[in-house]
Structures are given as structure tokens and as C-alpha cells.
């Protein structure tokens, strides 16, 4: 399978714990995105990387959230001191670098469903 | 600011009938428009996109969408619905005057195709 992969697929944690999710993009895609999707809503943008550089962050990305892409390949999203409001599906997407970069299609992974008790 | 609206929470259609899922958008510049489909407990699958050119865009699984600039709409259509088309459909927009790459998604429309 050469699509975007995410691990774990499901995570249950207690409030106050830290969690980390991993995303492996499609090979040679240099752009990587994180979104959050809550029940009954569309995905909401969190952050974006081009190679290892984090170029864009949403105001949704509070100081408890941190994302990294250290070698420009896989990425991790960490949530510290989780709250019940963090319960959501966390989606990762990747896109290739094209000549007209703004037309990139984002390809999504299956997501990690986080439940905070 | 950029946004999309999907005015229908749910669309019901009988198998074999044509289907339309509506989307309207608001952007400052010219829009880049996308449709994605989501099956239960799955990520989003790309269906089609409009960037420029022909207003009628053809995509995966027999879906197409028509870009209408005067009505700021990008409705998703299929001539003959299948039961397997039942899923959640999301419209998304990106404003080409914005240097960012984030997609702004609608709330989604649940499509139910009955046999």
C-alpha cells in the first residue's frame, strides 16, 4: 500500500496524559498536512510542512500541540495534557510538489481516532 | 477569508436516479475547489478538483462537478447513483490569492442511496 499511513488508528487516553501520533506520507511527497475532524464537522486545518519546515499553523494549534517532521519524511503530532475537547479524528494528508504548487491535491490517510476519558 | 457551505445535511436518492450534492463557496480571489468522499471510519478520498478551464470537471467513480462562477457554486453530480455511493461527501476550497495551502472544508453531506 503506497498511500498515507497513520498510527495508531485508535487511541484512548485519560485526561492529562500526553499522546503522540505518527504519519507516514506518500513516498516523495514533500508537503504534509495535519487536520482535525470532530463528529458532524468537516476537517479543520491544523498545520502544514514543506519538507522539514513547518510553514503554516492554525490558531487551533494551541501551545499543548506540537508537530514535527524532522527529516522531511514522517511526521509526529503530540498533544500534551490532553483534554476531553481534544477527542477527535486526527487526519494527515500529503501532496507532491508540482510546478504550479497551489493546485496540489492532498491525499489523506485513514486517521487516528483519539478518545480522551 | 474563504469558506464553503453545504446546505444539505443529508441527500436521499434511489439507486439508478441522478444525484446532486450542493456546495457554494466564498473566497477573495479565484477558488480552487475540491470534492472528497469519506466512508465510515476511513480517511477522505479525493474525487475531483476544479482549478481553471472547463467548468465541467470529471472525476473518479463516475462523478462530475460543475463550476458556476456567477452562482459561486460547485455542485457534485452523478447521472446514475449506486448503493455503494452512500457515504459522506465534503466540498473544500482554497483561495488562490492566499499563500497558504490549507483546505477549508464544508460540514459534509451524507448521501444515502436506497435500492
Amino acid at each position: 500500500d503506497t498511500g498515507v499511513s497513520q498510527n495508531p488508528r485508535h487511541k484512548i487516553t485519560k485526561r492529562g496524559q500526553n499522546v503522540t501520533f505518527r504519519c507516514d506520507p506518500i513516498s516523495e511527497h514533500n508537503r504534509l498536512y495535519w487536520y482535525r475532524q470532530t463528529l458532524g464537522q468537516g476537517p479543520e486545518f491544523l498545520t502544514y510542512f514543506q519538507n522539514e519546515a513547518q510553514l503554516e499553523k492554525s490558531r487551533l494549534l494551541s501551545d499543548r500541540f506540537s508537530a514535527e517532521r524532522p527529516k522531511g519524511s514522517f511526521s509526529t503530532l503530540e498533544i500534551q495534557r490532553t483534554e476531553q475537547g481534544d477527542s477527535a479524528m486526527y487526519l494527515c494528508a500529503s501532496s507532491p510538489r508540482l510546478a504550479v504548487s497551489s493546485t496540489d491535491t492532498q491525499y489523506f490517510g485513514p486517521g487516528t481516532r483519539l478518545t480522551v476519558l | 477569508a474563504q469558506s464553503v457551505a453545504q446546505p444539505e445535511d443529508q441527500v436521499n436518492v434511489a439507486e439508478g436516479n441522478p444525484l446532486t450534492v450542493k456546495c457554494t463557496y466564498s473566497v477573495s480571489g479565484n477558488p480552487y475547489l475540491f470534492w472528497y468522499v469519506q466512508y465510515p471510519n476511513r480517511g477522505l478520498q479525493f474525487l475531483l478538483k476544479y482549478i481553471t478551464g472547463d467548468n465541467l470537471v470529471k472525476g473518479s467513480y463516475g462523478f462530475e462537478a460543475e463550476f458556476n462562477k456567477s452562482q459561486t457554486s460547485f455542485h457534485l453530480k452523478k447521472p446514475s447513483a449506486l448503493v455503494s455511493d452512500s457515504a459522506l461527501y465534503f466540498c473544500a476550497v482554497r483561495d488562490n490569492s492566499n499563500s497558504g495551502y490549507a483546505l477549508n472544508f464544508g460540514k459534509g453531506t451524507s448521501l444515502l442511496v436506497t435500492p
Side-chain angles (χ1 to χ4, degrees):
Chain A
D1 190 337
T2 57
V4 177
S5 62
Q6 293 186 246
N7 288 289
R9 294 292 305 276
H10 304 273
K11 179 69 177 179
I12 300 174
T13 191
K14 293 182 179 179
R15 188 178 55 186
Q17 298 295 306
N18 299 343
V19 294
T20 299
F21 310 140
R22 175 176 169 131
C23 170
D24 288 88
I26 294 172
S27 178
E28 298 182 356
H29 278 194
N30 71 330
R31 295 199 166 101
L32 187 147
Y33 314 78
W34 285 98
Y35 289 82
R36 182 178 71 182
Q37 184 180 19
T38 54
L39 197 63
Q41 301 296 320
E44 297 172 292
F45 172 76
L46 292 177
T47 190
Y48 152 69
F49 290 86
Q50 180 164 307
N51 299 314
E52 66 276 7
Q54 189 174 17
L55 297 184
E56 192 175 351
K57 291 196 292 186
S58 161
R59 58 179 172 79
L60 293 176
L61 210 68
S62 76
D63 56 4
R64 296 186 298 106
F65 287 68
S66 64
E68 294 183 341
R69 195 182 183 199
K71 297 183 179 180
S73 56
F74 73 90
S75 175
T76 58
L77 178 67
E78 180 183 17
I79 309 174
Q80 296 182 329
R81 305 181 303 281
T82 53
E83 302 173 354
Q84 287 183 328
D86 296 332
S87 295
M89 175 79 87
Y90 289 84
L91 295 167
C92 176
S94 69
S95 67
R97 183 177 184 179
L98 302 177
V100 184
S101 60
S102 58
T103 63
D104 292 355
T105 296
Q106 297 179 23
Y107 296 92
F108 285 79
T112 294
R113 182 170 296 283
L114 173 65
T115 302
V116 182
L117 302 176
Chain B
Q2 56 187 21
S3 65
V4 294
Q6 294 183 242
E8 302 155 316
D9 290 336
Q10 182 161 322
V11 170
N12 297 318
V13 64
E15 187 175 28
N17 284 358
L19 69 87
T20 299
V21 182
K22 296 179 180 178
C23 172
T24 58
Y25 66 89
S26 175
V27 296
S28 301
N30 291 318
Y32 296 138
L33 293 155
F34 301 78
W35 275 102
Y36 286 84
V37 60
Q38 186 176 37
Y39 296 98
N41 299 314
R42 302 278 296 276
L44 278 70
Q45 293 181 28
F46 169 72
L47 283 178
L48 51 79
K49 66 182 178 183
Y50 171 82
I51 303 300
T52 187
D54 194 347
N55 289 342
L56 185 63
V57 179
K58 294 188 182 296
S60 305
Y61 313 118
F63 284 93
E64 58 188 29
E66 186 169 10
F67 172 67
N68 188 316
K69 188 172 183 178
S70 62
Q71 297 186 3
T72 62
S73 67
F74 189 56
H75 301 330
L76 182 70
K77 300 180 180 183
K78 187 173 183 181
S80 179
L82 300 172
V83 172
S84 58
D85 292 330
S86 299
L88 197 53
Y89 290 80
F90 290 97
C91 181
V93 68
R94 185 173 164 264
D95 188 339
N96 79 343
S97 67
N98 187 327
S99 61
Y101 291 90
L103 291 178
N104 197 310
F105 285 85
K107 293 178 63 175
T109 298
S110 178
L111 173 66
L112 179 63
V113 182
T114 53

